[in-house]
Amino acid sequence: MLARAAQAALVLLQALHADAEGMTRHILPNYRRTHPPGYWRFVAQELRNYCECRRHENDAPDAKSVGLNPLLFEEGSCKVNRQALLAHAKRPERLTVVVMAYIPEQNERLDALVCGYADADMVQKVLVLWNGLPEHRPIISCATNWRSKQQGFYRGILNPTTEVEVIVEQTNTLLNRYRHAKRVPTQSVVLQDDDVFHHAETLDAFAWGRMAAPDQILGTYPERNFRLDAATGEYEYVFHPRKTASKQYSFLLGQTSVVRRDTIDGFIHTAPRQALAFIISHKPTCEDLTFHFYNGNATGLPPIVFEDLAPVLVLGERNDQMHKQNKKLWNARRQRCLNRLAEEFGGMALVRSKCRLRGNVTRLLEREADGERLWKYRDRAT
């Protein structure tokens, strides 16, 4: 018996040290994360509440009519299909996290960021895009098995189903984050800067949020909006949408965007050429605004902000960031981008909405336990 157990352990050890590329293909991910009791019931209620909000602001009949996934909601309503949600809960679709970086002095913290994601159950691949000099490219400590001409390598034995790859870009441009759809193995992709980190509960929310709203841009960073100046006929930049009467927003800042793989591929290939050229040649690039213009124009749908989920800043404040130096000047530049993009896209393509999601389900459970009423449509949510 002991000899048989030792032999089995040896086989397992050999498998763990085997080529990770093969393991990525053949070993299904084990979803180790457990959720507190009531988690998925609350997710269903939150999705129902969002759907009802969108239905009422558009005078629409059901989830499908407001762009939500008809496979997740009951036909003709906003009620969540329990079987569909349960299927996701048992085996959620994993994510690819795309991280862009270029500062060699931050490589140690970048290593911690990447390895943190590489050990997350919800992450199937971490794609690091290095916009700095080739000789300063990061060496990721948790990865092994170098295998490509583009400095690609795979995850080591801690989580052999997660792939890590580094690409050294030839040109330093924010457009690079949209160029590698073919290197993304999942349907859902998280585009983020190198100075934020999202914890497990946020990654979970990204997954079920994307399942519910496959064509919308999701994010956690503070939302923004626009308004039309009737006197000048120009669009103005609204920095604090929540302080306005409507509470509406129409785009999110670019620190984090959760989208479909096909969306980034469509953006880089079909967005107006002059809009993409501006991103390469100007600062601020307004790359995030351009992306929202593209998706709003393509789908007619607004983005979704997780209002209670905030990323953890892992690289601290950067003093050289333009929007940190002069807020008034930065907002004026962004406003010029609004009007330029409206012209290049043939009109205002951004779509407003007042509806938001909450993804911190653990906190929602605590609030309900304290007697707080959380949902307008709770009695029929699931």
Side-chain angles (χ1 to χ4, degrees):
M1 183 67 69
L2 290 176
R4 185 177 299 176
Q7 185 178 8
L10 179 59
V11 171
L12 177 60
L13 185 61
Q14 291 173 340
L16 288 174
H17 285 88
D19 183 82
E21 181 176 4
M23 299 183 74
T24 302
R25 293 173 181 162
H26 301 297
I27 296 182
L28 292 175
N30 293 316
Y31 191 59
R32 298 169 295 177
R33 178 166 154 73
T34 58
H35 298 90
Y39 178 92
W40 291 107
R41 175 172 60 88
F42 272 43
V43 169
Q45 290 170 348
E46 189 64 22
L47 291 175
R48 168 69 187 272
N49 203 64
Y50 176 81
C51 178
E52 292 286 2
C53 177
R54 290 277 295 132
R55 189 176 69 83
H56 283 289
E57 73 177 359
N58 289 276
D59 193 24
D62 57 14
K64 182 179 180 180
S65 63
V66 293
L68 297 176
N69 184 357
L71 299 179
L72 183 61
F73 295 87
E74 299 289 350
E75 184 177 358
S77 74
C78 280
K79 185 178 180 182
V80 173
N81 183 309
R82 298 184 66 180
Q83 285 72 31
L85 187 60
L86 180 61
H88 171 82
K90 289 182 176 179
R91 187 167 293 280
E93 181 189 347
R94 299 169 80 192
L95 307 166
T96 296
V97 179
V98 177
V99 182
M100 181 173 289
Y102 71 99
I103 302 177
E105 291 78 13
Q106 304 287 7
N107 279 354
E108 183 177 349
R109 291 181 178 177
L110 176 65
D111 179 69
L113 172 76
V114 172
C115 291
Y117 280 138
D119 198 36
D121 293 310
M122 282 306 304
V123 177
Q124 182 168 330
K125 181 174 182 177
V126 187
L127 181 60
V128 182
L129 308 180
W130 180 248
N131 273 356
L133 296 174
E135 58 267 29
H136 294 151
R137 62 165 176 75
I139 303 299
I140 306 302
S141 63
C142 59
T144 58
N145 300 330
W146 290 78
R147 56 96 187 173
S148 86
K149 294 180 180 179
Q150 291 188 300
Q151 289 74 44
F153 47 76
Y154 284 95
R155 176 74 174 141
I157 67 170
L158 290 181
N159 188 352
T161 67
T162 301
E163 179 186 351
V164 179
E165 184 177 3
V166 177
I167 295 178
V168 177
E169 302 286 5
Q170 297 182 358
T171 304
N172 183 0
T173 170
L174 291 175
L175 283 181
N176 287 334
R177 73 166 104 230
Y178 307 98
R179 291 181 52 245
H180 300 289
K182 292 182 179 179
R183 306 185 84 90
V184 174
T186 60
Q187 291 294 323
S188 301
V189 55
V190 180
L191 308 175
Q192 70 158 74
D193 293 339
D194 62 342
D195 55 357
V196 296
F197 179 78
H198 297 287
H199 289 297
E201 185 148 23
T202 301
L203 297 176
D204 285 344
F206 287 167
W208 55 255
R210 274 279 301 110
M211 177 183 62
D215 296 323
Q216 293 170 257
I217 299 175
L218 281 68
T220 62
Y221 204 67
E223 61 271 32
R224 300 288 186 259
N225 198 14
F226 69 91
R227 60 170 167 253
L228 181 65
D229 188 325
T232 64
E234 293 191 346
Y235 295 104
E236 296 181 341
Y237 188 72
V238 179
F239 192 81
H240 290 299
R242 297 191 197 193
K243 294 183 179 179
T244 64
S246 70
K247 311 294 184 186
Q248 290 183 325
Y249 64 102
S250 55
F251 61 97
L252 314 174
L253 297 192
Q255 264 196 334
T256 302
S257 298
V258 186
V259 295
R260 287 190 308 153
R261 176 182 56 200
D262 292 345
T263 302
I264 64 173
D265 192 51
F267 174 68
I268 203 68
H269 288 103
T270 64
R273 296 297 96 183
Q274 63 270 33
L276 298 181
F278 184 94
I279 295 173
I280 297 176
S281 59
H282 288 73
K283 289 185 178 181
T285 66
C286 295
E287 158 256 348
D288 51 349
L289 257 176
T290 308
F291 190 44
H292 279 79
F293 260 84
Y294 164 78
N295 202 61
N297 187 61
T299 67
L301 298 173
I304 300 177
V305 64
F306 282 99
E307 62 179 340
D308 62 344
L309 292 176
V312 176
L313 293 176
V314 296
L315 299 183
E317 296 290 339
R318 295 181 185 168
N319 294 326
D320 63 339
Q321 287 182 332
M322 286 182 291
H323 62 284
K324 298 293 184 182
Q325 295 177 7
N326 190 320
K327 178 179 174 181
K328 186 176 182 180
L329 177 61
W330 176 264
N331 289 347
R333 290 173 172 174
R334 298 278 284 181
Q335 185 164 306
R336 287 196 293 271
C337 283
L338 271 174
N339 289 279
R340 173 183 57 81
L341 288 168
E343 181 177 349
E344 292 174 351
F345 277 85
M348 175 50 68
L350 298 177
V351 182
R352 296 187 182 105
S353 177
K354 65 179 180 181
C355 303
R356 295 165 169 83
L357 273 174
R358 293 172 295 185
N360 190 344
V361 179
T362 300
R363 177 58 184 148
L364 293 178
L365 288 164
E366 295 172 349
R367 289 169 61 184
E368 190 199 46
D370 291 337
E372 186 175 348
R373 181 175 175 83
L374 300 173
W375 296 282
K376 183 177 181 180
Y377 304 97
R378 174 178 176 176
D379 55 335
R380 295 184 297 160
T382 56

